[in-house]
Amino acid sequence: MRLVQNSLHQEVADTLREQIFDGLLAPGSFVDEVALCERLEISRTPLREALKVLTSEGLLRHEPRRGCFVNEVTEQDLDEIFPVIALLEGRCAYEAARNATDADLVELTALHERLDAHAQAGRITDYYATNFAIHEAIILLANNRWLAQAIADLRKILKLSRLQSLGAPGRLAQSLSEHMTVFAALKSRDSEGAEAAMRTHLTRQREALRELARSQRSRFAS
């Protein structure tokens, strides 16, 4: 697999990032620079620049005299990240309620109708995709690039956990209800209500992930 020379280290970073998110580079695993150089047909220089990028993003950690390892997200990490991302996305919902036009609300209506249809049919993968699209639409409506960047950075770390909150019992219906509450506030141009509802949504997502992790530990222990 030969990558083009333009912005090579960034292309390498993009490739490795996707492999991390896909689980091909597992949490805690050692990043073998020699093997990667051979597989990607590149020299050490662009690879090491790429590793610096991923380390700065929190996806890798560098250990002196040992090299790079894929980061592992702990329960403490999740406990610390979710309150922050809840604040950030809550602020996005606040701004979105102020900025949304009638046309924007029409588009959001279609997305929420799709979300509801996926939930009723139990189409989890489609629900996740539409859920993501709704969050992205609200972030876009907030029109604050600093909020968007901070949320994007934190999402990269959260993806390392590879846990999906909808796996928790009852979470699908709960998630749908939370989204509808956020949307109702947006339609009413209720900034504070939208902010509070979004923060509740993210807080309950963390609670669902905690319950899911507890259930998995219990299964492994039995």
Side-chain angles (χ1 to χ4, degrees):
M1 173 182 176
R2 181 172 296 281
L3 301 174
V4 298
Q5 293 302 310
N6 184 37
S7 301
L8 181 56
H9 82 275
Q10 192 59 58
E11 292 188 43
V12 174
D14 291 344
T15 297
L16 296 181
R17 188 185 298 108
E18 287 306 311
Q19 291 183 0
I20 290 170
F21 290 156
D22 291 342
L24 298 177
L25 291 173
S29 63
F30 173 65
V31 178
D32 189 332
E33 293 186 22
V34 174
L36 281 174
C37 285
E38 291 178 356
R39 178 156 57 84
L40 300 177
E41 299 180 22
I42 57 174
S43 67
R44 275 285 179 86
T45 298
L47 176 61
R48 286 181 171 170
E49 289 301 312
L51 297 181
K52 288 179 184 178
V53 170
L54 299 180
T55 299
S56 71
E57 293 178 358
L59 300 181
L60 300 178
R61 70 176 186 278
H62 180 266
E63 298 185 6
R65 296 182 297 279
R66 294 191 66 198
C68 285
F69 295 80
V70 179
N71 254 335
E72 299 172 273
V73 176
T74 66
E75 288 294 306
Q76 181 176 342
D77 290 328
L78 295 177
D79 285 339
E80 292 172 353
I81 289 172
F82 265 94
V84 178
I85 203 166
L87 284 170
L88 296 173
E89 291 212 41
R91 184 62 190 185
C92 284
Y94 180 96
E95 298 293 348
R98 297 173 60 182
N99 297 338
T101 65
D102 290 343
D104 293 326
L105 292 174
V106 168
E107 292 182 11
L108 282 173
T109 297
L111 282 172
H112 282 81
E113 289 175 349
R114 195 181 311 158
L115 190 76
D116 180 65
H118 293 323
Q120 302 308 323
R123 294 188 292 265
I124 301 299
T125 299
D126 293 330
Y127 184 95
Y128 271 117
T130 305
N131 170 77
F132 181 79
I134 289 171
H135 280 267
E136 285 294 289
I138 292 172
I139 292 168
L140 185 63
L141 286 173
N143 195 30
N144 184 320
R145 66 189 178 99
W146 302 108
L147 275 174
Q149 182 60 58
I151 292 168
D153 289 343
L154 288 174
R155 280 179 174 174
K156 290 174 185 175
I157 306 302
L158 291 177
K159 285 183 74 172
L160 289 175
S161 72
R162 300 185 65 77
L163 288 174
Q164 295 184 322
S165 63
L166 296 183
R171 178 57 191 158
L172 180 60
Q174 185 185 54
S175 173
L176 178 64
S177 175
E178 292 159 10
H179 266 291
M180 292 306 180
T181 301
V182 174
F183 185 42
L186 291 173
K187 287 191 293 185
S188 299
R189 305 313 206 276
D190 177 4
S191 293
E192 292 183 359
E195 180 175 27
M198 182 62 82
R199 290 175 64 174
T200 296
H201 174 54
L202 272 298
T203 299
R204 288 180 177 168
Q205 183 178 335
R206 172 64 190 119
E207 293 169 357
L209 287 173
R210 188 181 292 113
E211 179 60 34
L212 189 60
R214 187 182 300 119
S215 175
Q216 289 181 348
R217 287 195 299 270
S218 191
R219 284 204 304 272
F220 289 141
S222 61

